[in-house]
Amino acid sequence: MNETKLAELRRKYGGASGSQIFDPEFRAVAEGQFSAGRGRSKPYSGVQTFLGLPYMPNAASSPDFDGLDVAVVGVPMDLGVTNRSGSRFGPRAVRDIERIGPYEHVLHRQPAALCKAADIGDVPFRSRFSLEQSHEDIQAFYKPLVQAGVIPLSVGGDHSISYSILRAVGAERPVGMVHFDAHCDTSGDYEGAKFHHGGPFRHAVLEGVLDPARCVQIGIRGSSEYLWEFSKDSGMTVIHGEEVPHLGPKAIIETVRRVVGEGPVYVTFDVDCLDPAFAPGTGTPEVGGLTTREALELLRGLDGLNIVGGDVVEVAPQYDTTTNTAQAGAQVLFELFSLVAGRFPAARRDHAPTT
């Protein structure tokens, strides 16, 4: 062992506490996590919020949503599923995951320090039985949120919620979309129901809030392929699950950036994009999916895009006793938060880090 190096390490670290960080970048993160004279907050105590963000359930009562830049919203509604229900418990399960953040080590970013963000609670649903009424409630909640200039990050709930969110996000101009999923979700009305989780993006295109030429769908696979002809006919770019390892993340990211361009883009992540080995807790699992590492690498490759909103959907925790699915959903949410936070100019990066 190099005795000189050991002596240097002893001088520098021998009397240092765990909160004493020397690297400037890491020290900035630590300063937001260690209170003066105390240790880090305990991840297993207190009231859980998304990513440990401040809880501001009354923000919606303010016209400017209390000056928020980013609002994380729960949408606990799964009346649009075709098979296994349970994603109504997704927001609660994701909130319960601790130790996510505060630092995104690949992007070198502490998102809560770059913008004013909060967990503003759940969409208030008038009925637990009416799918149509639930979508009215989603649209009513998101319209003033988007009009106030707040970027929404949502946790569902089934994938039908994305349609009503897109109606708010794309109201002024159609947006592009990066869509992670096992299914294209571009089928038509099903058994008389418009608002089901297999068709939100067909309706979003037909209503003029989603530009199909600027949409990329990643991870598509399974026996429902025959239902997705609208994706092809409308001009969406579809990357199937079996293509992912052959193309590789770099080529996929290049395709995404070329297709969506510099315009506004919405990112939606159905957790069944992941292989059931990583995320069994979902309503429609399909084998042959992405690994969590692949998904995170692809998400990080979206950095710099003009992301105007995003969601994580279809986490159904009762099908996963390990909590791995909720863990994956929470990490994806943190990646979306990190991507969005990177959009804010340096002049606005004066918010205190969230603890």
Side-chain angles (χ1 to χ4, degrees):
M1 185 171 185
N2 187 315
E3 293 295 331
T4 301
K5 180 66 174 178
L6 178 58
E8 291 175 355
L9 291 173
R10 284 171 172 168
R11 281 195 298 271
K12 185 173 182 179
Y13 292 101
S17 68
S19 61
Q20 187 175 354
I21 309 295
F22 298 95
D23 181 275
E25 181 179 339
F26 295 159
R27 185 168 61 245
V29 180
E31 288 172 350
Q33 298 300 302
F34 292 91
S35 303
R38 299 191 303 170
R40 296 175 64 187
S41 60
K42 298 177 179 62
Y44 49 81
S45 65
V47 178
Q48 290 295 103
T49 64
F50 288 120
L51 311 178
L53 290 170
Y55 187 49
M56 298 175 60
N58 297 321
S61 62
S62 171
D64 68 345
F65 280 77
D66 286 336
L68 290 176
D69 298 314
V70 178
V72 186
V73 185
V75 193
M77 193 281 296
D78 63 2
L79 297 173
V81 299
T82 53
N83 188 17
R84 301 195 300 181
S85 61
S87 59
R88 68 181 64 184
F89 299 108
R92 179 175 292 180
V94 172
R95 280 191 177 100
D96 281 344
I97 298 299
E98 71 280 349
R99 298 296 297 262
I100 297 294
Y103 181 65
E104 215 296 346
H105 73 284
V106 176
L107 299 177
H108 300 279
R109 188 171 299 158
Q110 186 182 5
L114 305 182
C115 59
K116 185 177 181 181
D119 179 341
I120 65 170
D122 294 341
V123 172
F125 291 108
R126 292 168 292 169
S127 171
R128 73 186 70 190
F129 304 111
S130 173
L131 176 59
E132 291 77 12
Q133 194 174 64
S134 293
H135 276 274
E136 292 175 1
D137 294 337
I138 296 171
Q139 294 169 27
F141 186 87
Y142 279 86
K143 181 178 179 180
L145 180 69
V146 173
Q147 289 178 337
V150 183
I151 296 177
L153 296 178
S154 311
V155 182
D158 71 61
H159 218 160
S160 72
I161 72 168
S162 299
Y163 163 68
S164 292
I165 297 172
L166 281 167
R167 290 193 68 187
V169 173
E172 294 187 0
R173 72 285 183 250
V175 299
M177 181 177 68
V178 183
H179 174 201
F180 295 85
D181 206 324
H183 315 98
C184 286
D185 294 348
T186 51
S187 68
D189 293 2
Y190 190 73
E191 296 179 356
K194 172 181 179 180
F195 302 109
H196 62 85
H197 69 170
F201 305 119
R202 177 190 293 203
H203 293 300
V205 169
L206 295 178
E207 292 209 17
V209 297
L210 181 65
D211 180 358
R214 296 183 55 241
C215 291
V216 182
Q217 301 182 300
I218 303 170
I220 308 304
R221 61 194 187 277
S223 59
S224 298
E225 180 76 15
Y226 68 98
L227 296 172
W228 315 134
E229 64 180 0
F230 184 87
S231 290
K232 179 180 179 180
D233 284 352
S234 65
M236 294 182 179
T237 299
V238 178
I239 299 175
H240 288 86
E242 58 270 18
E243 297 179 272
V244 171
H246 299 291
L247 293 172
K250 182 178 179 181
I252 295 172
I253 290 167
E254 289 175 352
T255 297
V256 169
R257 301 182 79 89
R258 172 178 53 80
V259 171
V260 304
E262 298 180 357
V265 61
Y266 188 83
V267 182
T268 180
F269 193 101
D270 186 327
V271 78
D272 71 25
C273 174
L274 301 172
D275 190 89
F278 301 92
T282 189
T284 49
E286 298 277 5
V287 298
L290 274 64
T291 68
T292 48
R293 185 183 294 114
E294 287 172 329
L296 294 180
E297 185 172 358
L298 291 171
L299 283 165
R300 290 161 180 157
L302 307 182
D303 192 32
L305 295 182
N306 182 14
I307 299 173
V308 294
D311 62 48
V312 179
V313 298
E314 302 283 354
V315 174
Q318 69 273 35
Y319 304 118
D320 181 5
T321 58
T322 69
T323 75
N324 285 346
T325 308
Q327 184 79 33
Q331 187 63 48
V332 168
L333 179 64
F334 179 68
E335 299 300 328
L336 293 176
F337 182 29
S338 299
L339 294 171
V340 166
R343 291 188 50 207
F344 293 94
R348 299 188 66 186
R349 298 181 180 184
D350 56 355
H351 300 290
T354 302
T355 57

Short mmCIF file of all heavy atoms in Angstrom, two decimals, residues 232-280:
data_model
loop_
_atom_site.label_atom_id
_atom_site.label_comp_id
_atom_site.label_asym_id
_atom_site.label_seq_id
_atom_site.Cartn_x
_atom_site.Cartn_y
_atom_site.Cartn_z
N LYS A 232 -49.14 3.26 -37.31
CA LYS A 232 -48.48 3.26 -38.62
C LYS A 232 -49.13 4.24 -39.57
O LYS A 232 -48.45 5.05 -40.23
CB LYS A 232 -48.51 1.85 -39.21
CG LYS A 232 -47.87 1.74 -40.58
CD LYS A 232 -47.93 0.32 -41.11
CE LYS A 232 -47.31 0.22 -42.50
NZ LYS A 232 -47.36 -1.17 -43.02
N ASP A 233 -50.46 4.22 -39.66
CA ASP A 233 -51.16 5.07 -40.60
C ASP A 233 -51.01 6.56 -40.28
O ASP A 233 -51.00 7.40 -41.19
CB ASP A 233 -52.65 4.72 -40.64
CG ASP A 233 -52.93 3.43 -41.40
OD1 ASP A 233 -52.00 2.91 -42.03
OD2 ASP A 233 -54.08 2.96 -41.36
N SER A 234 -50.88 6.87 -39.01
CA SER A 234 -50.77 8.28 -38.64
C SER A 234 -49.35 8.81 -38.74
O SER A 234 -49.12 10.02 -38.66
CB SER A 234 -51.28 8.48 -37.21
OG SER A 234 -50.46 7.79 -36.27
N GLY A 235 -48.36 7.91 -38.88
CA GLY A 235 -46.98 8.35 -39.04
C GLY A 235 -46.14 8.31 -37.79
O GLY A 235 -45.05 8.90 -37.75
N MET A 236 -46.61 7.60 -36.76
CA MET A 236 -45.80 7.46 -35.56
C MET A 236 -44.61 6.54 -35.83
O MET A 236 -44.69 5.63 -36.65
CB MET A 236 -46.63 6.90 -34.40
CG MET A 236 -47.74 7.81 -33.93
SD MET A 236 -48.65 7.08 -32.53
CE MET A 236 -49.85 8.38 -32.19
N THR A 237 -43.52 6.78 -35.12
CA THR A 237 -42.34 5.93 -35.20
C THR A 237 -42.42 4.88 -34.09
O THR A 237 -42.49 5.24 -32.91
CB THR A 237 -41.05 6.75 -35.04
OG1 THR A 237 -40.98 7.72 -36.11
CG2 THR A 237 -39.82 5.86 -35.08
N VAL A 238 -42.46 3.61 -34.47
CA VAL A 238 -42.62 2.51 -33.50
C VAL A 238 -41.33 1.70 -33.44
O VAL A 238 -40.86 1.19 -34.47
CB VAL A 238 -43.80 1.61 -33.88
CG1 VAL A 238 -43.92 0.46 -32.89
CG2 VAL A 238 -45.10 2.42 -33.93
N ILE A 239 -40.78 1.57 -32.25
CA ILE A 239 -39.59 0.76 -32.02
C ILE A 239 -40.01 -0.41 -31.13
O ILE A 239 -40.37 -0.22 -29.97
CB ILE A 239 -38.47 1.57 -31.35
CG1 ILE A 239 -38.06 2.73 -32.26
CG2 ILE A 239 -37.26 0.68 -31.04
CD1 ILE A 239 -37.05 3.68 -31.64
N HIS A 240 -40.00 -1.61 -31.68
CA HIS A 240 -40.47 -2.78 -30.95
C HIS A 240 -39.45 -3.22 -29.90
O HIS A 240 -38.26 -2.93 -30.00
CB HIS A 240 -40.78 -3.92 -31.91
CG HIS A 240 -42.01 -3.69 -32.72
ND1 HIS A 240 -42.01 -3.00 -33.91
CD2 HIS A 240 -43.32 -4.06 -32.50
CE1 HIS A 240 -43.24 -2.95 -34.40
NE2 HIS A 240 -44.05 -3.58 -33.56
N GLY A 241 -39.96 -3.94 -28.91
CA GLY A 241 -39.11 -4.39 -27.82
C GLY A 241 -37.93 -5.22 -28.28
O GLY A 241 -36.82 -5.07 -27.77
N GLU A 242 -38.15 -6.11 -29.25
CA GLU A 242 -37.06 -6.96 -29.71
C GLU A 242 -36.00 -6.19 -30.50
O GLU A 242 -34.89 -6.68 -30.70
CB GLU A 242 -37.61 -8.12 -30.56
CG GLU A 242 -38.40 -7.70 -31.78
CD GLU A 242 -39.88 -7.54 -31.50
OE1 GLU A 242 -40.26 -7.42 -30.31
OE2 GLU A 242 -40.66 -7.56 -32.47
N GLU A 243 -36.35 -4.99 -30.96
CA GLU A 243 -35.37 -4.16 -31.67
C GLU A 243 -34.43 -3.42 -30.73
O GLU A 243 -33.33 -3.02 -31.14
CB GLU A 243 -36.09 -3.13 -32.54
CG GLU A 243 -36.96 -3.70 -33.64
CD GLU A 243 -37.64 -2.59 -34.43
OE1 GLU A 243 -38.74 -2.16 -34.03
OE2 GLU A 243 -37.05 -2.13 -35.43
N VAL A 244 -34.86 -3.23 -29.50
CA VAL A 244 -34.10 -2.38 -28.57
C VAL A 244 -32.67 -2.86 -28.37
O VAL A 244 -31.72 -2.07 -28.51
CB VAL A 244 -34.85 -2.25 -27.22
CG1 VAL A 244 -33.96 -1.56 -26.19
CG2 VAL A 244 -36.15 -1.48 -27.41
N PRO A 245 -32.41 -4.14 -28.05
CA PRO A 245 -31.02 -4.55 -27.84
C PRO A 245 -30.18 -4.54 -29.10
O PRO A 245 -28.96 -4.40 -29.03
CB PRO A 245 -31.15 -5.98 -27.27
CG PRO A 245 -32.49 -6.45 -27.72
CD PRO A 245 -33.36 -5.24 -27.75
N HIS A 246 -30.83 -4.70 -30.26
CA HIS A 246 -30.08 -4.70 -31.52
C HIS A 246 -29.72 -3.28 -31.97
O HIS A 246 -28.62 -3.02 -32.44
CB HIS A 246 -30.89 -5.42 -32.61
CG HIS A 246 -31.18 -6.84 -32.30
ND1 HIS A 246 -30.21 -7.83 -32.27
CD2 HIS A 246 -32.34 -7.48 -31.96
CE1 HIS A 246 -30.75 -8.98 -31.95
NE2 HIS A 246 -32.04 -8.80 -31.76
N LEU A 247 -30.66 -2.36 -31.79
CA LEU A 247 -30.38 -0.97 -32.15
C LEU A 247 -29.44 -0.32 -31.15
O LEU A 247 -28.54 0.43 -31.52
CB LEU A 247 -31.69 -0.18 -32.22
CG LEU A 247 -32.66 -0.54 -33.33
CD1 LEU A 247 -33.98 0.19 -33.14
CD2 LEU A 247 -32.05 -0.17 -34.69
N GLY A 248 -29.68 -0.59 -29.86
CA GLY A 248 -28.88 0.02 -28.81
C GLY A 248 -29.40 1.39 -28.43
O GLY A 248 -30.03 2.08 -29.24
N PRO A 249 -29.15 1.81 -27.19
CA PRO A 249 -29.66 3.10 -26.71
C PRO A 249 -29.22 4.29 -27.56
O PRO A 249 -30.01 5.20 -27.79
CB PRO A 249 -29.10 3.18 -25.28
CG PRO A 249 -28.90 1.76 -24.88
CD PRO A 249 -28.47 1.05 -26.12
N LYS A 250 -27.98 4.30 -28.00
CA LYS A 250 -27.48 5.45 -28.75
C LYS A 250 -28.29 5.69 -30.02
O LYS A 250 -28.72 6.82 -30.30
CB LYS A 250 -26.01 5.27 -29.11
CG LYS A 250 -25.41 6.47 -29.84
CD LYS A 250 -23.93 6.25 -30.14
CE LYS A 250 -23.35 7.44 -30.90
NZ LYS A 250 -21.90 7.23 -31.21
N ALA A 251 -28.54 4.64 -30.79
CA ALA A 251 -29.30 4.79 -32.03
C ALA A 251 -30.74 5.17 -31.76
O ALA A 251 -31.34 5.98 -32.49
CB ALA A 251 -29.24 3.50 -32.84
N ILE A 252 -31.32 4.60 -30.71
CA ILE A 252 -32.71 4.94 -30.37
C ILE A 252 -32.82 6.39 -29.95
O ILE A 252 -33.74 7.11 -30.37
CB ILE A 252 -33.22 4.00 -29.26
CG1 ILE A 252 -33.28 2.56 -29.78
CG2 ILE A 252 -34.60 4.45 -28.77
CD1 ILE A 252 -33.60 1.54 -28.70
N ILE A 253 -31.89 6.85 -29.14
CA ILE A 253 -31.90 8.25 -28.70
C ILE A 253 -31.75 9.19 -29.90
O ILE A 253 -32.44 10.22 -29.99
CB ILE A 253 -30.80 8.49 -27.67
CG1 ILE A 253 -31.14 7.77 -26.36
CG2 ILE A 253 -30.61 9.99 -27.40
CD1 ILE A 253 -29.98 7.68 -25.39
N GLU A 254 -30.88 8.83 -30.82
CA GLU A 254 -30.71 9.65 -32.03
C GLU A 254 -32.01 9.72 -32.82
O GLU A 254 -32.39 10.78 -33.34
CB GLU A 254 -29.59 9.09 -32.90
CG GLU A 254 -28.20 9.28 -32.30
CD GLU A 254 -27.11 8.60 -33.12
OE1 GLU A 254 -27.46 7.84 -34.07
OE2 GLU A 254 -25.92 8.82 -32.83
N THR A 255 -32.72 8.59 -32.93
CA THR A 255 -34.00 8.58 -33.63
C THR A 255 -35.02 9.46 -32.93
O THR A 255 -35.73 10.25 -33.56
CB THR A 255 -34.54 7.13 -33.72
OG1 THR A 255 -33.64 6.34 -34.49
CG2 THR A 255 -35.92 7.10 -34.36
N VAL A 256 -35.10 9.33 -31.61
CA VAL A 256 -36.05 10.14 -30.84
C VAL A 256 -35.78 11.62 -31.05
O VAL A 256 -36.71 12.41 -31.33
CB VAL A 256 -35.97 9.78 -29.34
CG1 VAL A 256 -36.76 10.80 -28.52
CG2 VAL A 256 -36.50 8.38 -29.10
N ARG A 257 -34.55 12.03 -30.93
CA ARG A 257 -34.23 13.46 -31.02
C ARG A 257 -34.50 13.99 -32.43
O ARG A 257 -34.92 15.13 -32.60
CB ARG A 257 -32.78 13.69 -30.60
CG ARG A 257 -32.48 13.23 -29.17
CD ARG A 257 -31.05 13.52 -28.75
NE ARG A 257 -30.91 14.92 -28.39
CZ ARG A 257 -31.10 15.40 -27.17
NH1 ARG A 257 -31.47 14.60 -26.18
NH2 ARG A 257 -30.95 16.68 -26.92
N ARG A 258 -34.27 13.15 -33.43
CA ARG A 258 -34.55 13.57 -34.80
C ARG A 258 -36.05 13.69 -35.04
O ARG A 258 -36.50 14.65 -35.68
CB ARG A 258 -33.94 12.55 -35.78
CG ARG A 258 -34.33 12.80 -37.25
CD ARG A 258 -33.67 11.79 -38.16
NE ARG A 258 -33.89 10.41 -37.75
CZ ARG A 258 -35.00 9.72 -38.00
NH1 ARG A 258 -36.01 10.30 -38.66
NH2 ARG A 258 -35.11 8.46 -37.61
N VAL A 259 -36.83 12.76 -34.52
CA VAL A 259 -38.27 12.75 -34.78
C VAL A 259 -38.98 13.87 -34.02
O VAL A 259 -39.82 14.58 -34.58
CB VAL A 259 -38.87 11.38 -34.42
CG1 VAL A 259 -40.40 11.43 -34.48
CG2 VAL A 259 -38.35 10.31 -35.37
N VAL A 260 -38.70 14.02 -32.73
CA VAL A 260 -39.46 15.00 -31.94
C VAL A 260 -38.95 16.42 -32.14
O VAL A 260 -39.69 17.39 -31.96
CB VAL A 260 -39.45 14.65 -30.44
CG1 VAL A 260 -39.99 13.26 -30.22
CG2 VAL A 260 -38.06 14.79 -29.83
N GLY A 261 -37.68 16.58 -32.53
CA GLY A 261 -37.16 17.91 -32.83
C GLY A 261 -37.12 18.82 -31.62
O GLY A 261 -37.00 18.38 -30.47
N GLU A 262 -37.24 20.11 -31.88
CA GLU A 262 -37.11 21.12 -30.83
C GLU A 262 -38.44 21.56 -30.25
O GLU A 262 -38.48 22.37 -29.32
CB GLU A 262 -36.35 22.33 -31.37
CG GLU A 262 -34.93 22.02 -31.83
CD GLU A 262 -34.21 23.24 -32.37
OE1 GLU A 262 -34.85 24.33 -32.44
OE2 GLU A 262 -33.03 23.13 -32.73
N GLY A 263 -39.53 21.06 -30.77
CA GLY A 263 -40.85 21.48 -30.29
C GLY A 263 -41.20 20.86 -28.95
O GLY A 263 -40.48 20.02 -28.41
N PRO A 264 -42.33 21.27 -28.40
CA PRO A 264 -42.77 20.73 -27.10
C PRO A 264 -43.05 19.24 -27.20
O PRO A 264 -43.60 18.76 -28.20
CB PRO A 264 -44.03 21.53 -26.80
CG PRO A 264 -44.53 22.00 -28.13
CD PRO A 264 -43.31 22.25 -28.95
N VAL A 265 -42.67 18.52 -26.15
CA VAL A 265 -42.83 17.06 -26.17
C VAL A 265 -43.30 16.58 -24.81
O VAL A 265 -42.91 17.12 -23.77
CB VAL A 265 -41.51 16.38 -26.58
CG1 VAL A 265 -40.40 16.70 -25.60
CG2 VAL A 265 -41.68 14.87 -26.71
N TYR A 266 -44.16 15.59 -24.83
CA TYR A 266 -44.68 14.96 -23.62
C TYR A 266 -44.06 13.58 -23.51
O TYR A 266 -43.94 12.87 -24.52
CB TYR A 266 -46.20 14.85 -23.71
CG TYR A 266 -46.89 14.40 -22.45
CD1 TYR A 266 -47.19 15.31 -21.44
CD2 TYR A 266 -47.25 13.07 -22.25
CE1 TYR A 266 -47.84 14.91 -20.27
CE2 TYR A 266 -47.89 12.65 -21.10
CZ TYR A 266 -48.18 13.58 -20.11
OH TYR A 266 -48.80 13.17 -18.96
N VAL A 267 -43.64 13.18 -22.31
CA VAL A 267 -43.03 11.87 -22.09
C VAL A 267 -43.96 11.04 -21.22
O VAL A 267 -44.30 11.44 -20.10
CB VAL A 267 -41.65 11.99 -21.42
CG1 VAL A 267 -41.04 10.60 -21.25
CG2 VAL A 267 -40.72 12.89 -22.24
N THR A 268 -44.39 9.90 -21.73
CA THR A 268 -45.28 9.03 -20.97
C THR A 268 -44.63 7.66 -20.83
O THR A 268 -44.14 7.09 -21.81
CB THR A 268 -46.67 8.93 -21.64
OG1 THR A 268 -47.50 8.06 -20.86
CG2 THR A 268 -46.59 8.43 -23.06
N PHE A 269 -44.63 7.14 -19.61
CA PHE A 269 -43.95 5.87 -19.32
C PHE A 269 -44.93 4.90 -18.67
O PHE A 269 -45.30 5.06 -17.50
CB PHE A 269 -42.76 6.11 -18.39
CG PHE A 269 -41.82 4.94 -18.29
CD1 PHE A 269 -40.63 4.93 -19.00
CD2 PHE A 269 -42.12 3.84 -17.49
CE1 PHE A 269 -39.75 3.86 -18.92
CE2 PHE A 269 -41.26 2.76 -17.41
CZ PHE A 269 -40.06 2.77 -18.12
N ASP A 270 -45.36 3.92 -19.44
CA ASP A 270 -46.16 2.81 -18.91
C ASP A 270 -45.18 1.80 -18.35
O ASP A 270 -44.28 1.33 -19.06
CB ASP A 270 -47.01 2.20 -20.02
CG ASP A 270 -47.98 1.15 -19.52
OD1 ASP A 270 -47.65 0.44 -18.55
OD2 ASP A 270 -49.07 1.01 -20.10
N VAL A 271 -45.33 1.46 -17.08
CA VAL A 271 -44.36 0.58 -16.44
C VAL A 271 -44.32 -0.81 -17.07
O VAL A 271 -43.33 -1.53 -16.89
CB VAL A 271 -44.64 0.52 -14.92
CG1 VAL A 271 -45.80 -0.42 -14.63
CG2 VAL A 271 -43.40 0.14 -14.13
N ASP A 272 -45.34 -1.18 -17.87
CA ASP A 272 -45.25 -2.48 -18.54
C ASP A 272 -44.30 -2.45 -19.73
O ASP A 272 -44.09 -3.47 -20.38
CB ASP A 272 -46.62 -3.03 -18.90
CG ASP A 272 -47.33 -2.29 -20.03
OD1 ASP A 272 -46.66 -1.67 -20.87
OD2 ASP A 272 -48.57 -2.36 -20.09
N CYS A 273 -43.71 -1.28 -20.01
CA CYS A 273 -42.60 -1.23 -20.96
C CYS A 273 -41.46 -2.11 -20.47
O CYS A 273 -40.75 -2.73 -21.26
CB CYS A 273 -42.12 0.21 -21.13
SG CYS A 273 -40.66 0.40 -22.16
N LEU A 274 -41.29 -2.16 -19.15
CA LEU A 274 -40.25 -2.99 -18.55
C LEU A 274 -40.66 -4.46 -18.58
O LEU A 274 -41.84 -4.79 -18.52
CB LEU A 274 -40.02 -2.57 -17.10
CG LEU A 274 -39.60 -1.12 -16.88
CD1 LEU A 274 -39.59 -0.79 -15.40
CD2 LEU A 274 -38.23 -0.85 -17.50
N ASP A 275 -39.70 -5.33 -18.68
CA ASP A 275 -39.98 -6.76 -18.61
C ASP A 275 -40.57 -7.10 -17.25
O ASP A 275 -40.20 -6.50 -16.23
CB ASP A 275 -38.69 -7.54 -18.84
CG ASP A 275 -38.94 -9.02 -19.03
OD1 ASP A 275 -39.14 -9.43 -20.19
OD2 ASP A 275 -38.97 -9.76 -18.02
N PRO A 276 -41.50 -8.06 -17.18
CA PRO A 276 -42.08 -8.44 -15.89
C PRO A 276 -41.04 -8.90 -14.86
O PRO A 276 -41.33 -8.90 -13.66
CB PRO A 276 -43.04 -9.57 -16.26
CG PRO A 276 -43.38 -9.34 -17.68
CD PRO A 276 -42.17 -8.75 -18.31
N ALA A 277 -39.85 -9.28 -15.31
CA ALA A 277 -38.80 -9.62 -14.36
C ALA A 277 -38.43 -8.43 -13.50
O ALA A 277 -37.99 -8.58 -12.36
CB ALA A 277 -37.56 -10.13 -15.10
N PHE A 278 -38.62 -7.22 -14.05
CA PHE A 278 -38.29 -6.00 -13.33
C PHE A 278 -39.52 -5.30 -12.77
O PHE A 278 -39.43 -4.56 -11.79
CB PHE A 278 -37.54 -5.03 -14.26
CG PHE A 278 -36.27 -5.59 -14.81
CD1 PHE A 278 -36.27 -6.26 -16.03
CD2 PHE A 278 -35.08 -5.48 -14.12
CE1 PHE A 278 -35.09 -6.79 -16.54
CE2 PHE A 278 -33.90 -6.00 -14.62
CZ PHE A 278 -33.91 -6.67 -15.84
N ALA A 279 -40.67 -5.52 -13.42
CA ALA A 279 -41.88 -4.82 -13.01
C ALA A 279 -43.10 -5.71 -13.19
O ALA A 279 -43.91 -5.51 -14.11
CB ALA A 279 -42.04 -3.52 -13.81
N PRO A 280 -43.28 -6.69 -12.31
CA PRO A 280 -44.44 -7.58 -12.43
C PRO A 280 -45.74 -6.93 -11.98
O PRO A 280 -46.82 -7.42 -12.32
CB PRO A 280 -44.08 -8.75 -11.51
CG PRO A 280 -43.18 -8.15 -10.48
CD PRO A 280 -42.38 -7.11 -11.21
#
